[in-house]
Amino acid sequence: MKKYLAEALGTALLAFTAVSTGGNEMAVAGILVIAIYGFIGISGAHFNLSVTATMWARGEISLGESLKYGVCQISGGVLAIALALFLQNKATFVLGDMTGSFTLQQVISECIAAALLMMTIFVCLRKNLHPAWGVAIIHIVLIPMGMMINTSITLSTFTDGNPLGMLVVFALAQITGGILVGRLDKALK
């Protein structure tokens, strides 16, 4: 039970920070370092559907466990976003139409961003570096480039009338990028 609570709380911290700061990369990186250090020993500190999907694809967690993590991550993220919007006196989750418009380049960018996140985590682990610092650096580099990287950050950007369909497509692209790198990394080991 502790690990599910850790995933919900860590994801909540990330999502709350992303909404409260307008996605400021330094604030996001900082809260990730704090949350990862705080929860890595309890849950592995995924806080991201693509990280969880990658760990499942590598055989490090079961499908059932990954689904439980995902429910906790989404729940923690949604509740934190609602709280952040409430504290800012903004409407909570005003979603637009279901599809919206997005480019193939945006989808590929999110797939690449998640792949780079996972590559960074794997490199840190191989070099006996704490993954929190690699995760922070990759967010500092990629957020200013317009990449969301993390499904929690993606969710936080879809609160002002943005299309729900885009959220799903971007989240799937992030999950796909993570799984592809996870499988590739496992095959190369």
Side-chain angles (χ1 to χ4, degrees):
M1 185 63 166
K2 285 182 185 178
K3 59 186 168 186
Y4 305 122
L5 184 58
E7 283 300 308
L9 287 174
T11 306
L13 288 169
L14 173 58
F16 184 87
T17 302
V19 170
S20 298
T21 67
N24 177 279
E25 65 273 8
M26 295 303 286
V28 167
I31 203 65
L32 278 166
V33 169
I34 292 166
I36 291 169
Y37 265 98
F39 296 119
I40 197 164
I42 299 170
S43 68
H46 299 184
F47 317 138
N48 183 339
L49 296 175
S50 65
V51 174
T52 299
T54 302
M55 295 304 146
W56 166 76
R58 291 171 56 88
E60 295 183 24
I61 62 174
S62 69
L63 178 59
E65 190 76 359
S66 66
L67 293 173
K68 290 175 189 174
Y69 268 41
V71 168
C72 293
Q73 292 163 359
I74 292 168
S75 300
V78 168
L79 290 173
I81 291 166
L83 176 62
L85 292 173
F86 171 76
L87 293 174
Q88 295 175 17
N89 290 318
K90 292 184 178 178
T92 304
F93 295 107
V94 179
L95 294 172
D97 63 54
M98 286 301 291
T99 56
S101 63
F102 50 88
T103 66
L104 180 59
Q105 290 88 343
Q106 288 173 302
V107 174
I108 292 170
S109 290
E110 288 307 316
C111 185
I112 291 169
L116 289 171
L117 171 64
M118 293 312 305
M119 286 173 55
T120 301
I121 291 170
F122 297 146
V123 167
C124 286
L125 293 172
R126 272 196 203 91
K127 299 294 183 181
N128 294 319
L129 301 171
H130 200 288
W133 298 108
V135 170
I137 290 167
I138 203 75
H139 281 79
I140 291 168
V141 171
L142 296 181
I143 289 175
M145 295 170 68
M147 297 179 187
M148 291 177 257
I149 310 153
N150 187 308
T151 49
S152 300
I153 297 170
T154 304
L155 181 62
S156 74
T157 65
F158 287 88
T159 57
D160 294 322
N162 290 307
L164 183 59
M166 285 177 65
L167 167 64
V168 172
V169 169
F170 285 4
L172 288 174
Q174 293 163 347
I175 290 167
T176 301
I179 288 173
L180 290 173
V181 165
R183 298 220 176 199
L184 178 62
D185 183 73
K186 187 175 181 180
L188 293 174
K189 271 181 121 177

